[in-house]
Amino acid sequence: MTTPQRVAENVTGDFYVTTACIDCGTCRMLAPDVYTETGKYSAVRHQPQTSDEVQRSVYALLACPTAAIRCNNPDLKATIQNAASDFPLHLEGGVYYNGFTSRHAYGASSYFIQHPDGNWMIDAPRWLPSLVKKYEALGGISTILLTHQDDIGDAERYAAHFGAKRIIHEYEKHAQPDAEHILQGREDIQWHPDFQILFTPGHTKGHVSLLYKNRFLFSGDHLAWDSERDTFKYYKEFCWYSFDVQKESIAKLTQHRFAWLLPGHGGQKLLDEADMHRRLTELVAIMKSNN
Ligand code: SF4
């Protein structure tokens, strides 16, 4: 194995990305002002200056699935160690971003919901004892929803530790054959008054999303946000099943209301609920006119 090299496009300074990068986008999602895409890798385009930029750069370093981000400032060693205990990062209400993405999930984001009737994980991070302790303090995990075959991470290990039920669609079952609950059919499922599982095929044949409290959409690899262009993003080039079906599934989302878009890959976004719906409706109209 070759030793990772510093990516040439990094600007000079403490933080840099190496060729161990798999271009998963996690760092660009967490610190878009600091990290950029070069085509093959991410790179540091702006060295963090403010305390917020330093904190987000450190979060990206910790969340990176391949340890491709380095910091050569010894004064930040304690900052980096302390930042690990901030994960999972709180978003709103009982919803958290897990960080610590898994190389096996290609750096996909995963999430945690603290709920009085049992906590959920949506897709899974890599196994980490410090995360386990945090989940234990938050009440454990009762349910792990796996949106599709790619973003599974260390779900099996978390399920075994917490006695959690893994949910996956039958078309994705090959990725987690001993999952405790297999979804069947093409209908949406109101699993609990607060949890609705939406059948959103396209990226893969049995892809599902989760709508939580009609406010948070956990969209897997179905739909994301492009923070540079400030609009929705979908990955036509990484569509493994049918992009026509994916477009139908995106159109179906206009039947629902949500304010948070929380994807597996790509940017997260919080908008006013009406604004999110208006922009989604516009996207669907554009996609239809491009047919
Ligand atoms: S998080 Fe790591 S692997 Fe992912 S794009 Fe950034 S540097 Fe590359």
Side-chain angles (χ1 to χ4, degrees), residues 63-165:
C64 175
T66 59
I69 301 173
R70 307 279 172 82
C71 175
N72 58 15
N73 182 346
D75 293 342
L76 287 176
K77 197 171 172 190
T79 301
I80 294 169
Q81 282 172 347
N82 293 337
S85 63
D86 290 350
F87 288 91
L89 302 180
H90 184 241
L91 296 176
E92 181 190 298
V95 177
Y96 297 78
Y97 163 69
N98 291 327
F100 294 104
T101 66
S102 166
R103 175 194 282 269
H104 306 299
Y106 202 71
S109 295
S110 65
Y111 302 91
F112 177 86
I113 301 173
Q114 188 180 34
H115 191 279
D117 294 338
N119 299 337
W120 283 47
M121 182 179 270
I122 297 91
D123 293 322
R126 62 183 184 258
W127 175 262
L128 209 75
S130 66
L131 270 183
V132 171
K133 279 198 185 117
K134 295 295 281 286
Y135 299 140
E136 285 171 349
L138 289 163
I141 302 170
S142 67
T143 305
I144 302 176
L145 178 69
L146 299 168
T147 59
H148 67 297
Q149 63 186 13
D150 304 329
D151 294 357
I152 285 173
D154 284 328
E156 187 173 1
R157 208 162 165 193
Y158 283 105
H161 181 85
F162 287 103
K165 175 195 310 173

Side-chain angles (χ1 to χ4, degrees), residues 17 20-28 42 60 63-66 68-69:
V17 177
C21 172
I22 57 171
D23 201 22
C24 72
T26 296
C27 56
R28 304 192 295 272
S42 281
C64 175
T66 59
I69 301 173

